[in-house]
Structure formats: C-alpha cells, structure tokens
Amino acid sequence: MTNWPAMADKYLMNFVERLPLTLVKGQGARAWDENGREFLDFVGGWAVNSLGHCHPAVAQAVTEQVNTLIQASNQFYTIPQIRLAELLVQHSCFDKVFLANSGAEANEGAVKLARRYGKLHLKGAYEVITTTSSFHGRTLAMVAATAQPKFQQPYIPLPAGFVNVEYNNFGVIKAATTSHTCAVMLEPIQGEGGVNLPDPDYLAAVRAWCDETGILLIFDEIQTGLGRIGTLFAYEQYGVEPDIITLAKGLASGIPIGAILAKDSVSVFTPGEHGSTFGGNPVACAAGLATLQFIIEHDIAGNAQIVGQYLISSLEGLKPKFPFITEVRGCGLLVAMEFSQDIAQAVVMACLERGLLINRVKPNALRFMPPLIITKAEVDEALGILAEALASV
Ligand SMILES: *Cc1c(COP(=O)(O)O)cnc(C)c1O
C-alpha cells in the first residue's frame, strides 16, 4: 500500500506538522482514512466545514455549476457572484461586497480599501492598528498585521504601515492613534490566538473611538462569521457595527473563497484599483450561495448557539475529574479548553487513536470547531472519547 506520509515528505515542502492520518472521505461530522477507519471530526477543516463534509446542498450546487460555467473573469457579470453578494448584503449591515479567494486575501483587500479611504478622506492616513495574539493570514502584509512573534520573526523586515498593540485593551488603541492612522483591525473573538473573548465593553469603546476620530473599524470575521459563534456575525452579539468585515473559512463549505463587506460610504474602490482573476468565481460563489442559504433557512447559527452551550457545559463537567483543566471558554461552536501543562499534543494524539479529530491551538490548549450542524449526541460521543484521552495522558 502507498505510504502517503513518506511520499508527502518527499514531494511537499515542510510547512506544517501533520498528524499521521490520511483522510480520503468525509460526510457530515465524520471523516474516514484510507483504511476505512471512521473519525468524528471536531477540526472541521479548521472551522471551514460549517455544514459538515460534503453537504448535499453544497455538493449539488457545485456539481451543477461545474457543468454550467466554471470561470468567466470579472470582466463579465456572472450570476452566482451577484446572488451571493445580494444575500450577504440582505443579511448583514453592509452594502457592498468584494469577493476574493482566501482569508488573507480578503484582509489584504480590506487594508487596501482602508488605505484608499485614508487617501481620500483622512489626509493620506495609511496605518492600521492591530492587536497581539491576533491572526490575519500568511501573506507578508498580513504577517505584519498578525501581532505574534512566531509568525513575524522569520520574515523581518515586514511591510510598513501596521502598529501592533495589546488585545482587549482600549487605552493602547487610543494611545497608538495618530494622524497616520486609517483603521483599527480586530478579530472580535480571536480564533488562532487561542479563542480569546473580549471584555463586554471593549469593542463598543473601540467603535466609539473610531467614530470620534473618523478612522475605520475592520472586523476580521473569517473565523467568527457565518454562524460559528451563534449569530450570523459576531458583531451582532456585541452590538457594534464595523465599517468593514472580512469573511472566508465557513463561507463556501470548503471551496476556497474570501469576501470583504463594507458600508456604502467606505466602498471607495474605483475600476482598476483592486481585482482578482479567480475572486468571485462562479463555482466558489455557487458553493457560498448554497452554504449561506442553508445556514439562514435552517437557523444553523441557532444550532451553533444551543449545541455550543451544551459543549461548553459538558466540557466544564470534566473539570472535577481532571483538575489540570484550568479553563473552558468560547462562544457558540468556537471553544477552547486550557490545561495547566503543555499536554495538548498528547491529548490530540490520544483522541486520534480513539477516533476523534481535535485541534491543538496552543501547547496547553485544545480548540473545538466542529461543523455547525453537530448534534448533542455527537458532542456526547466526542466527550466520551475526550474523557478517555484525558485519563490516558
Ligand atoms: C484563518 C484565518 C485567516 C486566514 O485565512 P486564510 O484563508 O488561511 O488565508 C485570517 N483571519 C482569521 C481570523 C482566520 O481565522
């Protein structure tokens, strides 16, 4: 039988620590390896498979589109792109949409949009304030935005125009604002940084400051958006309307996509100032449309809220038995469990052996990001495996 990990080592660049598992198939919250072994999937393609693996509504929309029109370029109007933008606008506080191919690319576009706005309305201001333990993507500019040394150090010097300040501290944003500042960019809840929730008044304070100074507020909702945290968008839960948000991960159930949503007053691109060959591609947009329609029509965000609360309380229930669990935190189906020691990798491996896929978000923390269609019974099943794994480490 083919040794896929060995072949991968031979042919692929060594950019990520992979687990010793080759997945060949997925359905709903389950995935299978090449030997037919079944796993319960609480990684979900890194918070991407919002409707689970190969959801029939998405598979059908993609199949139809692939047999109809795969690519046409943005020089022409294509219908899935227009319909997806319409649905995003109808269900958000925004007016205009730009479609890209990934999260990092959406964020790059959002920063470019903020810089255009700065040139036109803020006397040439260009600097973007971002926060520690954030994650905004892997392009060079987004590495400069991502205020984590492990991502920045290997690539210094970084592109200019980003100021990194402490997350969840309004005072430092105020102090960092100068006449060069055009925007503040934040994840309302930090995902890759370890599922970090803001204090209740932090985002509102930043919004008020942006209103006072005229600078833009950008929410990176690539991980929190599209129902993951129990509402369609995170900004709804905090009662704060940003000027721009970015989406990607869960938007098209696994087909690469990214999106910038902005208020009319901020949508200042003119023809030629930004663009993409694949962005808004009919197949990706058909997948996005099918996903978003399903999320809205079946109140998938509501399920994420209910089952997410159940997941959090079930995880809390493990604390007495495993005193090395120091904290369970999260919102909807974006949840972390932190330990007093760096045992997350050992727990991930012990879960893998027992049929549960789970993510280590920090050396001492796990992250749970199952599909948003997950049931309480599947949570019970996962927690049974997790308890065995915790007992084994
Ligand atoms: C994953 C992620 C990104 C990057 O998205 P890519 O599609 O990997 O470029 C950016 N911001 C947040 C909050 C993310 O979770």
Side-chain angles (χ1 to χ4, degrees), residues 102-104 107 135-137 187 192 220 222-223 249:
S102 70
N107 282 339
F135 185 79
H136 297 297
E187 298 160 78
E192 305 300 312
D220 176 345
I222 287 165
Q223 190 152 157
K249 292 205 161 79

Side-chain angles (χ1 to χ4, degrees), residues 46-48 101-107 134-139 142 146 186-192 220-224 246-249 256-258 367:
W46 280 338
V48 166
N101 306 289
S102 70
E105 205 190 310
N107 282 339
S134 60
F135 185 79
H136 297 297
R138 302 287 199 157
T139 59
M142 285 312 108
T146 295
L186 292 171
E187 298 160 78
I189 296 172
Q190 295 186 329
E192 305 300 312
D220 176 345
E221 290 230 31
I222 287 165
Q223 190 152 157
T224 54
T246 51
L247 303 171
K249 292 205 161 79
I257 196 166
R367 179 174 39 163

Side-chain angles (χ1 to χ4, degrees), residues 333-387:
L333 285 167
L334 184 57
V335 177
M337 171 181 259
E338 197 152 304
F339 307 118
S340 54
Q341 291 145 30
D342 290 352
I343 55 166
Q345 185 62 16
V347 177
V348 166
M349 293 307 292
C351 286
L352 185 67
E353 280 163 26
R354 292 165 177 80
L356 172 67
L357 307 182
I358 196 109
N359 173 253
R360 176 201 61 178
V361 71
K362 295 204 289 194
N364 68 335
L366 299 176
R367 179 174 39 163
F368 303 77
M369 41 189 170
L372 309 182
I373 46 130
I374 200 99
T375 62
K376 287 183 180 174
E378 285 163 333
V379 167
D380 288 342
E381 193 185 331
L383 273 270
I385 297 174
L386 178 66

Side-chain angles (χ1 to χ4, degrees), residues 179-382:
S179 59
H180 298 308
T181 310
C182 71
V184 177
M185 182 159 86
L186 292 171
E187 298 160 78
I189 296 172
Q190 295 186 329
E192 305 300 312
V195 187
N196 305 318
L197 293 120
D199 292 338
D201 53 354
Y202 172 63
L203 298 172
V206 178
R207 174 70 272 179
W209 178 244
C210 290
D211 287 339
E212 193 180 323
T213 53
I215 63 179
L216 300 180
L217 180 57
I218 305 171
F219 276 2
D220 176 345
E221 290 230 31
I222 287 165
Q223 190 152 157
T224 54
L226 286 321
R228 167 80 32 204
I229 68 151
T231 46
L232 199 52
F233 303 105
Y235 72 78
E236 297 169 54
Q237 286 194 34
Y238 291 96
V240 166
E241 288 191 4
D243 302 292
I244 302 172
I245 64 168
T246 51
L247 303 171
K249 292 205 161 79
L251 179 52
S253 296
I255 305 288
I257 196 166
I260 306 167
L261 277 58
K263 302 262 193 189
D264 251 334
S265 57
V266 179
S267 303
V268 294
F269 284 144
T270 57
E273 284 181 353
H274 193 47
S276 172
T277 298
F278 292 123
N281 164 279
V283 179
C285 289
L289 190 59
T291 303
L292 189 56
Q293 268 167 348
F294 195 93
I295 287 174
I296 291 163
E297 280 164 21
H298 295 82
D299 189 21
I300 297 300
N303 188 66
Q305 198 198 333
I306 292 164
V307 182
Q309 263 164 17
Y310 181 72
L311 171 63
I312 290 173
S313 61
S314 303
L315 290 172
E316 288 281 357
L318 292 175
K319 271 180 167 174
K321 197 157 168 223
F322 304 104
F324 54 85
I325 301 172
T326 50
E327 196 187 8
V328 174
R329 59 177 178 267
C331 189
L333 285 167
L334 184 57
V335 177
M337 171 181 259
E338 197 152 304
F339 307 118
S340 54
Q341 291 145 30
D342 290 352
I343 55 166
Q345 185 62 16
V347 177
V348 166
M349 293 307 292
C351 286
L352 185 67
E353 280 163 26
R354 292 165 177 80
L356 172 67
L357 307 182
I358 196 109
N359 173 253
R360 176 201 61 178
V361 71
K362 295 204 289 194
N364 68 335
L366 299 176
R367 179 174 39 163
F368 303 77
M369 41 189 170
L372 309 182
I373 46 130
I374 200 99
T375 62
K376 287 183 180 174
E378 285 163 333
V379 167
D380 288 342
E381 193 185 331

Side-chain angles (χ1 to χ4, degrees), residues 78-88 90 289 292-293:
T78 49
I79 296 165
Q81 183 179 141
I82 299 166
R83 291 187 60 206
L84 175 59
E86 178 193 38
L87 202 60
L88 284 168
Q90 283 171 346
L289 190 59
L292 189 56
Q293 268 167 348

